[in-house]
Amino acid sequence: MTVTVRRAVEDDLRKVYLLLRDSTLNSAWIPFEWRRRMFQPVWGGQEGYYGYVMEDGDEVVGFLGTLFTEREVAGKPHKFCEIHSWYVKEDYRNESMKLFLPVMSVRKATLLNYTPTQTVYDISKKFGWEDLETKVRQFLPVPTARGLGRGLRVETRKHVIAQHLDEADRKVFLDHEDLRCRHFLITRKGSTDYLYVVVKKLRLGRFVPFGRILYASDPAKLLAAIDHLRLAWCLRLGLAFVVMDDGALQGAIRAAGREPSFTRVVTREVPSLFKSKDLDPDDLRSALYTLPLLIGYRLH
């Protein structure tokens, strides 16, 4: 059989949706309207294509998605290309690498994969990709004396939150205010400092709801307030626990000189991945600006 591979454009949406709907991917359930976001420019991405399709005649038999974004890291603009939704019909699996190799030719961009399968992980490592998130820290909703939250105020009204954020955090807020996540502004009485946190409610399996901390403007302030926040979030949002990338917290934990209480570190079965010439894992700890967040499936 002879197949061809080309860039995926907006007109390919329906055929790609049907391919992925009938696939073995964990995200096969994603509805058509959510999939549409995969074929629209977002967060500064202007490449004009959204991955690669494999065709046998008029039939789409394979797809690998790319989400291009641009954002500042340490005050400098950077371009990102996140790969996702790599799937090829069984009869064409021996042609799968024809979808992956074009990604390796993307220039001047940091490559990301937040939800690789073990097979994709193994392939990527052979091409020089590195581990990104390897562990998450679970914050369990155990009452403590520090959890009373004296002097803390938690604001959830979006229009109020936006007024108090600095320029960088306001951009984060505006870029994500219409997505399915929760925004919190935490302040202390008598202080103008703030902590801004973005949380998304997810499920472990079908029945265990938990919260994923996608972004914290100041990890040290987060740890200082976490005893109160984890209880408040679990009660308010109906969560069993709250998790965050453990790597994003290590600097604050070292500075505090102690581990946060009532937590558990869990190793991911398959780490997320990146490949970059000028960024390291600590530059990429935020779970914002990602395809799972954009279309609503789980970031492990």
Side-chain angles (χ1 to χ4, degrees):
M1 61 187 71
T2 302
V3 298
T4 58
V5 172
R6 61 171 175 80
R7 290 179 173 181
V9 296
E10 188 174 354
D11 289 344
D12 295 313
L13 167 61
R14 179 158 292 280
K15 286 185 177 181
V16 169
Y17 164 73
L18 294 174
L19 173 76
L20 298 181
R21 184 195 63 183
D22 298 331
S23 73
T24 56
L25 298 178
N26 290 336
S27 60
W29 61 272
I30 298 290
F32 179 80
E33 287 304 315
W34 294 10
R35 289 283 184 202
R36 187 188 298 277
R37 298 174 186 170
M38 294 166 34
F39 287 82
Q40 297 172 341
V42 65
W43 295 322
Q46 298 292 336
E47 302 324 288
Y49 69 99
Y50 307 98
Y52 301 90
V53 291
M54 179 183 294
E55 295 177 309
D56 183 357
D58 293 332
E59 181 186 7
V60 171
V61 297
F63 175 71
L64 189 153
T66 56
L67 177 68
F68 287 96
T69 59
E70 290 189 12
R71 60 186 184 273
E72 286 192 357
V73 177
K76 297 181 180 179
H78 285 270
K79 177 179 173 182
F80 298 86
C81 173
E82 177 188 347
I83 70 170
H84 61 88
S85 310
W86 187 4
Y87 177 75
V88 179
K89 286 188 174 182
E90 187 172 357
D91 291 344
Y92 300 85
R93 294 282 166 81
N94 61 342
E95 307 282 357
S96 295
M97 290 302 294
K98 291 182 178 179
L99 289 169
F100 182 75
L101 292 177
V103 173
M104 298 306 299
S105 299
V106 173
R107 301 183 61 189
K108 298 181 180 179
T110 291
L111 303 178
L112 298 163
N113 188 345
Y114 289 101
T115 56
T117 62
Q118 186 65 58
T119 299
V120 173
Y121 177 87
D122 293 339
I123 292 171
S124 301
K125 294 291 279 188
K126 293 178 181 178
F127 283 84
W129 293 56
E130 301 177 61
D131 290 355
L132 181 52
E133 181 183 84
T134 59
K135 300 175 181 178
V136 296
R137 185 173 292 265
Q138 287 186 356
F139 294 92
L140 306 175
V142 178
T144 67
R146 297 181 64 196
L148 297 177
R150 293 187 179 93
L152 282 183
R153 178 176 179 179
V154 181
E155 180 62 68
T156 60
R157 293 172 295 175
K158 289 185 177 181
H159 70 282
V160 176
I161 293 174
Q163 293 172 4
H164 286 80
L165 301 178
D166 63 23
E167 183 178 355
D169 285 334
R170 189 176 297 113
K171 178 168 175 51
V172 169
F173 173 80
L174 293 174
D175 285 344
H176 296 82
E177 66 172 326
D178 293 330
L179 299 181
R180 296 164 63 113
C181 50
R182 303 293 188 99
H183 302 261
F184 299 91
L185 180 76
I186 298 94
T187 55
R188 287 190 178 274
K189 186 177 181 180
S191 173
T192 58
D193 289 342
Y194 69 83
L195 167 67
Y196 170 51
V197 184
V198 183
V199 178
K200 183 172 177 61
K201 184 175 181 178
L202 300 167
R203 290 192 178 275
L204 183 64
R206 295 179 60 187
F207 303 110
V208 183
F210 70 99
R212 170 83 184 214
I213 300 174
L214 304 173
Y215 175 75
S217 61
D218 188 325
K221 288 188 176 69
L222 175 67
L223 288 184
I226 195 63
D227 285 349
H228 171 71
L229 293 176
R230 60 179 158 190
L231 270 177
W233 286 333
C234 287
L235 291 171
R236 179 170 187 160
L237 303 179
L239 309 175
F241 53 85
V242 179
V243 306
M244 186 175 179
D245 177 9
D246 188 56
L249 295 166
Q250 283 305 304
I253 291 173
R254 287 192 296 269
R258 65 178 181 85
E259 293 278 321
S261 60
F262 300 108
T263 66
R264 182 173 69 166
V265 177
V266 179
T267 300
R268 282 182 53 154
E269 291 185 10
V270 185
S272 59
L273 291 162
F274 80 104
K275 183 174 174 61
S276 180
K277 291 183 178 180
D278 50 6
L279 298 177
D280 61 35
D282 287 338
D283 296 317
L284 304 168
R285 292 300 182 186
S286 167
L288 299 173
Y289 300 97
T290 64
L291 195 282
L293 180 57
L294 185 65
I295 68 173
Y297 65 92
R298 185 161 61 92
L299 265 158
H300 287 263

